[in-house]
Amino acid sequence: MFGLYVFFFFKQKTAYEMLRSLVGSEMCIRDRLSLAYTGNAIGYFPQPAARSVPVRFQALGVVRFLNTVPKSVFATQEFALDIEISYAPPASYGPVKVYISSSSPSLLPSTNTITWNPGDTVLQTTFRVTATAQQKGVVLTFTLAAPPIYETTLNIPSAVVDVASARDILVSIASFVYIGQTISGTVEIGLPPPPGTRLALVITPSNAQAVSVSSLFDFTSSSAKTQQFTVEALQPVGNITLTISIVDGSANYDAPQPLVVDVRALDPITATGLAAGMYVGTTSVVTFQLQRSPQCAGSISVVPSFGSGDAAFAPAAGVTFLSGATALSKSVVLTASQTSVGNVPVTL
């Protein structure tokens, strides 16, 4: 009489066989996969020692622009756009490409395709866009072609650009500002005023209690063609309108269109899973949640730590939310390493 107990029956693989389809990155999360099986019946192999095989879980790659597309540019001028990939594609997946197209020859990109091949070490590249003729509403389209180990969309899939004439006044500023912060805007003219004349402008907000706007200097025949101004957010009221009026110089220039700025309250980052008490050697998963993707060409990092050394987080670098990424929830593992007296503060 004999008994048969089988928990797992499988073809044993080497670490290489399990990992050869996975790719490496500084962004990966390391873990271990434990495999165990047993059997004591005739015809079954003896139970070996339990094994641990290293496994890597790869975060999705991201292709993103590092700066924004200007809303307007003068004819004959050009601007540069920087684009970056988080890691080069592995050989088994082939290249990653971004296709660039313009709806009009009034805006000409310096290239139509950006390509990252397996093994590439240069992850950031720059291309230029040249304005050739006046035209409003030219559309630049950016299309990502990438394997499924990357996020499916770019943080800037398309942009509308006005190519302006010498009479136009170009005013640009970020589309949003958070309460308590100050952002800078730019006023640019194509040609300076004739000698003996000036161009005087004033910027008026639709809600003077919500924002504070700095004043502008006069443009003259000898002054710079670009000025900066600031907008300080005082109250989170949503959209406000900035109207730019010509006080002097309307014979030579056309007034620009009003600008809309969203004055926002701070976006919360929530953390769940922090246990009130833990036994030594146990773990807890702490999850960080955003309400929306970072709205700038950058990232948000949350780095948790225990100041006393009583516990540790993995990964120790915390989590990072990139601009344009679709994953708004990420987790770290908290491990209690030694006993402590009283409450231990967690720093986020």
Side-chain angles (χ1 to χ4, degrees), residues 95-99 113-117 120 122 125:
V96 173
K97 296 185 178 183
V98 174
Y99 298 102
T113 308
I114 294 174
T115 303
W116 290 276
N117 291 302
D120 281 352
V122 178
T125 187

Side-chain angles (χ1 to χ4, degrees), residues 205-286:
S206 58
N207 188 335
Q209 284 71 45
V211 294
S212 175
V213 183
S214 64
S215 58
L216 293 170
F217 298 103
D218 293 347
F219 289 95
T220 66
S221 60
S222 58
S223 67
K225 295 189 292 183
T226 302
Q227 285 192 41
Q228 286 193 329
F229 65 96
T230 60
V231 174
E232 180 185 3
L234 305 176
Q235 297 179 12
V237 297
N239 289 340
I240 65 165
T241 301
L242 301 179
T243 302
I244 301 90
S245 305
I246 300 178
V247 178
D248 190 5
S250 58
N252 299 312
Y253 298 94
D254 298 323
Q257 293 294 318
L259 301 176
V260 176
V261 178
D262 182 10
V263 185
R264 300 174 176 173
L266 296 179
D267 284 335
I269 302 176
T270 58
T272 57
L274 281 170
M278 297 174 60
Y279 288 103
V280 172
T282 61
T283 61
S284 177
V285 177
V286 182

Side-chain angles (χ1 to χ4, degrees), residues 11-20 35 51 53-54:
K11 175 182 179 293
Q12 184 175 345
K13 295 184 177 182
T14 66
Y16 170 76
E17 289 175 317
M18 296 190 68
L19 291 176
R20 61 183 178 182
L35 307 176
R51 298 169 182 252
V53 181

Side-chain angles (χ1 to χ4, degrees), residues 57 67 92 128 148 156 209 211 225 251 273 285 298 302 339-340 346-347:
F57 299 95
N67 49 2
S92 57
R128 310 189 74 83
I156 305 178
Q209 284 71 45
V211 294
K225 295 189 292 183
V285 177
V302 181
T339 59
S340 62
V346 179
T347 302

